[in-house]
Amino acid sequence: QVQLVESGGGSVQAGGSLRLSCATSGYRYSIYSYCMGWFRQAPGKEREAVAAITGVPRSTYYADSVKGRFTIFRDAGNQTMYLQMNSLKLEDTATYYCASDSRPGTNCPSSLQGFAAQMSIWGQGTQVTVSS
């Protein structure tokens, strides 16, 4: 059974950095074979896609609000996906979730907005709190 476990959340001052990890288990193939993404949900707000990454050839997508500050990447050696978050802002405060398509080698969406509907496996979330 495929599982995703996020870690790396915490409290940080505005302008600081955090790196979120999404450790996977149960994948039959390399993590590179799957469409995956990071999503977040702030209290009272709808869930939004933050960043996504496709299979091979690799493409990445970012929400306009995080472009230039966040980087999504994966390490096949330890089957883990990451979200490097720099220059954090108060509005980045949210619970962050990683998610994945369960099917290897499928066509990933061609835009960030399409990823949520294709994600069938979700982690439990990790809290990120940015303070002034």
Side-chain angles (χ1 to χ4, degrees):
Q1 183 178 356
V2 176
Q3 289 187 320
L4 306 178
V5 178
E6 301 97 334
S7 62
S11 297
V12 64
Q13 288 191 321
S17 298
L18 283 174
R19 177 177 290 186
L20 305 184
S21 299
C22 175
T24 72
S25 61
Y27 279 124
R28 184 174 181 181
Y29 300 99
S30 166
I31 193 174
Y32 291 160
S33 302
Y34 300 85
C35 310
M36 302 182 71
W38 286 96
F39 302 79
R40 68 185 180 188
Q41 187 166 22
K45 295 188 177 181
E46 293 188 353
R47 183 185 64 197
E48 64 172 337
V50 175
I53 189 165
T54 67
V56 178
R58 181 183 64 84
S59 295
T60 55
Y61 303 93
Y62 296 94
D64 288 343
S65 59
V66 307
K67 278 181 182 176
R69 300 189 298 121
F70 289 12
T71 303
I72 184 172
F73 62 101
R74 294 181 292 198
D75 183 346
N78 59 16
Q79 293 284 74
T80 300
M81 179 175 68
Y82 300 92
L83 184 68
Q84 177 67 42
M85 305 187 296
N86 298 328
S87 303
L88 283 161
K89 302 178 180 180
L90 298 179
E91 52 265 40
D92 294 320
T93 295
T95 300
Y96 284 72
Y97 300 89
C98 65
S100 175
D101 189 336
S102 63
R103 303 162 298 171
T106 58
N107 291 326
C108 297
S110 57
S111 68
L112 182 64
Q113 288 70 26
F115 271 78
Q118 193 162 326
M119 303 292 99
S120 57
I121 305 169
W122 293 80
Q124 83 290 349
T126 186
Q127 177 66 36
V128 172
T129 302
V130 184
S131 60
S132 59

